[in-house]
Amino acid sequence: GAGVSQSPSNKVTEKGKDVELRCDPISGHTALYWYRQSLGQGLEFLIYFQGNSAPDKSGLPSDRFSAERTGGSVSTLTIQRTQQEDSAVYLCASSIAWGEELFFGEGSRLTVL
Amino acid sequence: EDQVTQSPEALRLQEGESSSLNCSYTVSGLRGLFWYRQDPGKGPEFLFTLYSAGEEKEKERLKATLTKKESFLHITAPKPEDSATYLCAVRLTNTGNQFYFGTGTSLTVIP
């Protein structure tokens, strides 16, 4: 595709359920980032993948959050046992290796009831 | 502690009324400062990268400048289509590939 694709665009779930958010980066981009954007807050770094290197997980807020990237392309962010404070827009971005410009998807809006 | 602070939080301008947005930073080592534009319901869109004090970048009605403590995004004769949230971000020399974002300035340009 021409840009970063994220799905679902909207997800409403009940507290305690698990959710998976998907990101399909721009073809050829080896770097992939997940950010979280809450109302009135800046973008919060979650995790970064670069090629086949070990991911930088330093931004994951708890062990309920995990992410994987298969085949150096598609990434899935999984939130287990969702809590109301997990409600936010989850943004995925990709770039060329060590690139300065991030290309963002439109985000997945998660609402936990 | 590394910090990125944007001001004002919100700004309303009349069409044609020029102004500036501020991004101040206190970081241990700046590798680059970035400006993004974000429209409602969309992901941020890259505008500029600045690397060193004194550097300037321009694009249409926007000009970004950088000093050792802050960056300004100058908007000259804005139009309603410039209405958006403007985000700045920094990349540090000692934290790998992370980008740290400010909370943004919401700009509304009134016709």
Side-chain angles (χ1 to χ4, degrees):
Chain A
V4 176
S5 177
Q6 291 190 246
S7 62
S9 55
N10 278 286
K11 176 73 176 179
V12 179
T13 190
E14 294 179 347
K15 178 181 172 180
K17 295 288 181 67
D18 297 351
V19 297
E20 287 190 350
L21 308 177
R22 175 188 167 106
C23 173
D24 199 344
I26 293 172
S27 178
H29 281 191
T30 57
L32 187 148
Y33 301 76
W34 283 99
Y35 283 87
R36 177 166 72 175
Q37 188 173 35
S38 305
L39 195 63
Q41 303 294 315
L43 273 70
E44 176 189 3
F45 168 79
L46 296 177
I47 189 168
Y48 160 68
F49 296 89
Q50 172 58 54
N52 295 322
S53 302
D56 177 354
K57 303 180 182 181
S58 61
L60 294 178
S62 77
D63 58 8
R64 297 186 295 105
F65 288 72
S66 62
E68 62 177 22
R69 189 178 185 190
T70 53
S73 181
V74 172
S75 177
T76 302
L77 177 69
T78 301
I79 308 172
Q80 295 179 312
R81 306 180 302 281
T82 52
Q83 303 294 312
Q84 288 184 333
E85 60 262 29
D86 299 334
S87 295
V89 175
Y90 290 81
L91 290 163
C92 174
S94 70
S95 75
I96 59 173
W98 304 107
E100 300 292 338
E101 179 178 351
L102 298 182
F103 294 82
F104 283 86
E106 297 201 341
S108 292
R109 179 176 296 278
L110 174 66
T111 303
V112 182
L113 301 177
Chain B
E1 181 183 337
D2 299 321
Q3 279 195 323
V4 180
T5 305
Q6 291 190 247
S7 62
E9 289 187 13
L11 181 63
R12 289 171 64 90
L13 299 173
Q14 292 289 331
E15 184 172 1
E17 179 187 2
S18 300
S19 188
S20 297
L21 313 182
N22 178 265
C23 172
S24 64
Y25 59 93
T26 51
V27 299
S28 49
L30 183 71
R31 185 167 150 189
L33 186 140
F34 308 85
W35 282 98
Y36 283 80
R37 169 190 171 129
Q38 186 174 25
D39 291 299
K42 305 287 187 181
E45 178 184 347
F46 173 81
L47 292 173
F48 303 110
T49 305
L50 301 165
Y51 292 104
S52 56
E55 189 174 359
E56 298 183 352
K57 294 274 181 72
E58 283 191 67
K59 180 180 180 179
E60 297 180 354
R61 295 177 292 281
L62 300 177
K63 183 167 93 171
T65 61
L66 182 66
T67 72
K68 289 186 177 180
K69 294 184 178 179
E70 59 192 348
S71 176
F72 291 94
L73 184 65
H74 307 277
I75 303 177
T76 302
K79 298 182 177 181
E81 53 262 42
D82 295 323
S83 297
T85 296
Y86 291 85
L87 301 167
C88 79
V90 298
R91 198 179 201 181
L92 309 183
T93 56
N94 61 351
T95 57
N97 231 25
Q98 289 186 29
F99 293 78
Y100 295 92
F101 284 82
T103 53
T105 293
S106 175
L107 174 67
T108 303
V109 182
I110 305 162

